[in-house]
Amino acid sequence: MTINAHTPEPGAGDAVPAKAATIYDVAQAAGVSHQTVSRFLKGFQGIRPETREKVVRALDELGYRPNLTARSLKSGRSHRIGALTHEISKVGPSRVAEGASAAAREAGYVLDLVSLDVANPRAIEESLELITQHDLAGVLALSSTDEMTRAFETTEFRVPVYIDVEVDDTVSSHPSDLTTVGMPALVAHLADLGHRALVHIAGPATWSAARNRILAYETAVIGQGLRSIGILPGDWSARSGYEAVVALPRLPDATAFVAANDQMALGAMLALKERGCRIPDDVSVVGIDDIPESAYFDPPLTTLHIDFEAAGRLSVHKLLAEIEGTEVPQMVVPPPQLVVRRSSGAAPSR
Amino acid sequence: MTINAHTPEPGAGDAVPAKAATIYDVAQAAGVSHQTVSRFLKGFQGIRPETREKVVRALDELGYRPNLTARSLKSGRSHRIGALTHEISKVGPSRVAEGASAAAREAGYVLDLVSLDVANPRAIEESLELITQHDLAGVLALSSTDEMTRAFETTEFRVPVYIDVEVDDTVSSHPSDLTTVGMPALVAHLADLGHRALVHIAGPATWSAARNRILAYETAVIGQGLRSIGILPGDWSARSGYEAVVALPRLPDATAFVAANDQMALGAMLALKERGCRIPDDVSVVGIDDIPESAYFDPPLTTLHIDFEAAGRLSVHKLLAEIEGTEVPQMVVPPPQLVVRRSSGAAPSR
DNA sequence: GACCAGAATGTTTTCGACAACATTCCGGCG
DNA sequence: CGCCGGAATGTTGTCGAAAACATTCTGGTC
């Protein structure tokens, strides 16, 4: 059951007014003009100490809270950021949203988080429509799919926009950290264990992150002189990882599976076990993301730890730099880090 | 890497103006007064067809988007709801937030989702401070901890507030669906399998949901004439489920573990297996929530499916009813549903 | 054709904060 | 003592939308 906490009604003798005080109320209480209050609030220096103190007292007594609506109407600037992201429970890295939310909050902004089906153009359009109507300082796309990118391209924003894509695989010459650091470490780990042939379980092709991971996987496999037996399609879900393995007519010659995220690794492990494979004795399985649960899979999952929160914060800071016309702060997202657990082991000797 | 999609600069010949059109611009373009435009936008009926058409055309040509800031300044109402919730990646049911977000969107509201450490009073205070400054139509607490409830009680809101608690265990005489339907089904399932002594792995005591689940568990255990060997403390995380079992000096006589959520069940299963228990042959483990991954645990988890999205939607609708002064729509959240998988089996014969 | 009711439309004011500009205050100086 | 310059403070207008109020138009009536 639920409780309904109404706004407390201040008693008759209560000093706090039921209606919000405006700077005019404050000014009247302090015996100064509202402009003086405004100047004080904006940190203007030329105010005499005694005037300043009267204002402070009135401000305090009335429990003044600025009306940001009026402020943004006049200034033409708001302190809200619209952020679109995937259904947060569906995919592991919802910490991106948390980091973004926290970073925005710290900068005095509020993040309007809109989670939606990022593969559904209609849903994206509708959300953009609503979000552009509510005055915003900027718009952020925290999950990048082709549908999302396209919707952003065709929508006219009057504010800065920032799309966080794991890699821009059409024009980029800057490979991501995953490609340069994370995936090589993961694949090298498998190579060290004697694995020579791998299989990748990929995310949906319309997600830039999925493409990035395929690219990183293929690059790393070549880099280590290994062989990729194939790329199985998935959709990030544990079910898709399971079904990708179940759908195989026979188990491939590969001795290790590299899933594009931990959930798919979980599903794949179950399917492999059901097909009689022991993990990691017969086949190794590794994931990417390092979701909190993956340390408690059976066996605990070897994976790449990714600092999603930092990524979310960085996205917000980049957008804020754009909004406020300041420098992008020198922030680094820690590179993906290999976490070795028990789901990876020595390749079986034939 | 990331790309930065700037606001597209309209070309010189482009009909779309760089600045947002106001109703005044529209009025001028249509050759009517701005008030006529306003009336049209508000769906006022008394407008002549030809006038209406001129307005429509001008609206369309200028690509007019209402400035909701100005609107809410004047009307004193906004279309934003502040929602506080736990760190969304930490606990399973983040679908509550999704449901709430979707329901708000459908009603023309935007949900400001603020995820925070719901056990940290400072974090809650700061978020409330920020959120109350941004004009809101209402405030929602999607995760209820004692800290959250207390912060809501001591903060003065000028808008409706709705705290979604799973059960109000201090005053409630209405047991939750979990107590009346879900947990009895789960415990009855175990009783049918021959289990007589159970252990509960609980969530943190400051969460109303955790207390509700303990209450529901104890009620159901008594109702089925079973015995509860004990209640182990946890914090919703897989790690805490694991450690709760590891910390036991010896395995209890219980033949089944009822975890308060699926993550803790996952951790508990791993710890039990490491202590040599086979699941479900030696001991059964069940969870609550039915997160998507739980079907792919090893063994797949018997759990209670809870419709979190519906719960989130209901919360928003209740708040909206409060805001708009309308009736609470007759919505029902489907009761928890038993999902039997392979982690529960016949109790071992001694 | 003058008049009227009611519909259609225009004018003015309002919301709260802020900024441009106007005014007052103050001590210093000739 | 009057004037000056700069600091301190007040006055007025602005933002976009909406409401209150004012005005114009329309068709019907006698």
Side-chain angles (χ1 to χ4, degrees):
Chain A
M1 96 142 256
T2 54
I3 62 169
N4 194 336
H6 243 106
T7 306
E9 290 299 329
D14 202 324
V16 182
K19 260 69 180 179
T22 71
I23 52 168
Y24 294 88
D25 301 326
V26 173
Q28 188 173 11
V32 300
S33 94
H34 62 100
Q35 181 57 14
T36 303
V37 178
S38 173
R39 273 193 271 263
F40 171 82
L41 292 173
K42 295 200 62 207
F44 187 72
Q45 285 312 313
I47 300 176
R48 266 189 293 183
E50 64 230 56
T51 309
R52 174 181 300 268
E53 199 185 322
K54 282 190 295 184
V55 172
V56 170
R57 198 159 34 231
L59 237 29
D60 189 53
E61 264 170 27
L62 296 178
Y64 170 82
R65 291 272 168 278
N67 179 331
L68 297 200
T69 302
R71 178 175 298 178
S72 40
L73 170 60
K74 175 58 186 168
S75 63
R77 300 167 24 84
S78 80
H79 278 75
R80 298 176 170 284
I81 297 169
L84 305 188
T85 186
H86 51 259
E87 297 104 316
I88 45 196
S89 66
K90 195 167 165 185
V91 183
S94 39
R95 287 190 64 77
V96 174
E98 282 169 30
S101 173
R105 197 155 72 239
E106 285 158 16
Y109 285 73
V110 165
L111 196 80
D112 289 349
L113 233 197
V114 177
S115 87
L116 42 72
D117 180 351
V118 287
N120 178 348
R122 266 277 303 288
I124 299 173
E125 291 288 352
E126 284 171 13
S127 299
L128 282 179
E129 176 71 11
L130 185 65
I131 243 187
T132 49
Q133 286 184 12
H134 287 76
D135 75 310
L136 294 171
V139 176
L140 201 59
L142 289 178
S143 317
S144 165
T145 59
D146 293 342
E147 291 85 357
M148 190 79 105
T149 310
R150 205 167 309 126
F152 268 66
E153 278 166 4
T154 58
T155 304
E156 191 200 348
F157 297 96
R158 297 196 172 83
V159 292
V161 165
Y162 186 79
I163 307 178
D164 183 26
V165 301
E166 229 183 64
V167 69
D168 182 2
D169 46 4
T170 50
V171 294
S172 166
S173 48
H174 292 262
S176 67
D177 276 354
L178 187 71
T179 306
T180 58
V181 181
M183 191 66 92
L186 187 62
V187 171
H189 166 67
L190 293 172
D192 288 349
L193 290 170
H195 296 277
R196 292 292 165 259
L198 314 181
V199 168
H200 182 56
I201 306 177
T206 57
W207 286 63
S208 73
R211 290 195 298 260
N212 182 37
R213 286 164 187 209
I214 292 174
L215 184 67
Y217 163 77
E218 289 176 333
T219 308
V221 164
I222 293 170
Q224 292 290 330
L226 306 186
R227 203 155 53 90
S228 174
I229 299 278
I231 294 182
L232 307 179
D235 66 4
W236 301 129
S237 73
R239 141 166 267 144
S240 75
Y242 179 84
E243 288 178 349
V245 171
V246 167
L248 293 173
R250 56 182 190 77
L251 285 181
D253 297 331
T255 55
F257 283 72
V258 178
N261 75 350
D262 290 352
Q263 278 90 343
M264 293 195 293
L266 174 67
M269 286 203 296
L270 181 62
L272 286 166
K273 284 181 279 191
E274 287 179 0
R275 289 183 80 153
C277 293
R278 289 163 306 157
I279 300 171
D281 306 335
D282 298 326
V283 56
S284 291
V285 176
V286 300
I288 302 179
D289 283 356
D290 191 26
I291 62 173
E293 287 74 30
S294 62
Y296 300 92
F297 290 174
D298 184 19
L301 189 69
T302 293
T303 185
L304 282 177
H305 180 81
I306 295 187
D307 193 336
F308 288 106
E309 190 178 341
R313 300 184 91 92
L314 182 62
S315 292
V316 166
H317 283 298
K318 284 187 174 170
L319 181 65
L320 285 178
E322 188 73 21
I323 292 170
E324 304 189 331
T326 57
E327 282 293 293
V328 178
Q330 274 308 325
M331 292 182 67
V332 262
V333 176
Q337 194 125 29
L338 178 65
V339 180
V340 177
R341 299 203 185 97
R342 304 202 298 268
S343 72
S344 57
S349 45
R350 282 292 146 92
Chain B
M1 92 145 258
T2 53
I3 63 168
N4 194 336
H6 244 103
T7 306
E9 293 297 332
D14 203 323
V16 182
K19 260 67 179 180
T22 71
I23 52 169
Y24 296 88
D25 300 328
V26 173
Q28 189 173 12
V32 300
S33 93
H34 61 100
Q35 182 58 12
T36 303
V37 177
S38 171
R39 275 193 269 262
F40 171 81
L41 292 173
K42 296 201 60 207
F44 188 74
Q45 285 313 313
I47 300 177
R48 266 189 294 180
E50 64 232 55
T51 309
R52 174 181 299 269
E53 199 185 324
K54 281 190 295 184
V55 172
V56 171
R57 196 158 37 231
L59 239 28
D60 188 53
E61 263 170 28
L62 296 178
Y64 170 82
R65 291 272 168 278
N67 179 331
L68 296 201
T69 303
R71 180 175 297 178
S72 38
L73 170 61
K74 176 58 184 171
S75 64
R77 300 168 22 84
S78 80
H79 278 75
R80 297 177 171 284
I81 297 169
L84 304 188
T85 187
H86 51 259
E87 297 104 316
I88 44 195
S89 66
K90 196 168 165 185
V91 183
S94 39
R95 287 189 65 77
V96 175
E98 284 169 30
S101 173
R105 198 155 71 242
E106 285 159 14
Y109 285 72
V110 166
L111 196 79
D112 289 349
L113 232 198
V114 177
S115 86
L116 42 73
D117 180 351
V118 287
N120 179 347
R122 265 277 303 290
I124 298 173
E125 291 287 353
E126 284 170 14
S127 299
L128 282 178
E129 176 71 11
L130 184 65
I131 242 186
T132 49
Q133 285 184 14
H134 287 78
D135 75 310
L136 295 171
V139 177
L140 200 59
L142 290 177
S143 317
S144 165
T145 60
D146 293 342
E147 291 85 358
M148 189 78 106
T149 311
R150 206 169 307 127
F152 268 66
E153 279 166 3
T154 59
T155 304
E156 193 200 347
F157 295 97
R158 297 195 174 83
V159 293
V161 165
Y162 187 80
I163 307 178
D164 183 25
V165 302
E166 229 186 64
V167 71
D168 182 3
D169 45 3
T170 51
V171 294
S172 165
S173 49
H174 292 263
S176 66
D177 276 355
L178 187 71
T179 305
T180 57
V181 182
M183 192 66 93
L186 187 61
V187 172
H189 165 67
L190 293 173
D192 287 350
L193 289 170
H195 297 279
R196 292 292 165 259
L198 314 181
V199 168
H200 182 58
I201 306 177
T206 58
W207 286 62
S208 72
R211 290 196 298 262
N212 183 37
R213 286 165 188 208
I214 292 174
L215 184 69
Y217 163 78
E218 289 177 331
T219 309
V221 164
I222 294 170
Q224 292 291 329
L226 306 186
R227 203 155 51 91
S228 173
I229 299 276
I231 294 183
L232 307 179
D235 67 3
W236 299 129
S237 72
R239 140 167 268 142
S240 74
Y242 179 85
E243 287 177 350
V245 172
V246 167
L248 293 173
R250 56 180 191 77
L251 286 181
D253 297 330
T255 55
F257 283 72
V258 178
N261 75 350
D262 291 351
Q263 279 90 343
M264 294 195 292
L266 174 67
M269 287 203 295
L270 182 62
L272 286 166
K273 284 182 278 191
E274 286 179 1
R275 290 183 80 153
C277 294
R278 290 164 304 159
I279 301 171
D281 305 335
D282 299 325
V283 57
S284 291
V285 176
V286 301
I288 302 178
D289 282 357
D290 192 25
I291 62 172
E293 287 74 31
S294 62
Y296 301 92
F297 290 174
D298 184 19
L301 189 69
T302 293
T303 186
L304 282 177
H305 180 80
I306 296 187
D307 193 336
F308 288 105
E309 191 179 338
R313 300 184 91 94
L314 182 60
S315 292
V316 165
H317 283 298
K318 284 186 175 171
L319 180 66
L320 285 177
E322 188 75 22
I323 292 170
E324 305 190 331
T326 56
E327 282 292 295
V328 178
Q330 275 307 325
M331 292 182 66
V332 263
V333 176
Q337 195 125 27
L338 178 65
V339 180
V340 178
R341 299 202 186 98
R342 302 203 299 266
S343 71
S344 57
S349 44
R350 283 288 145 94

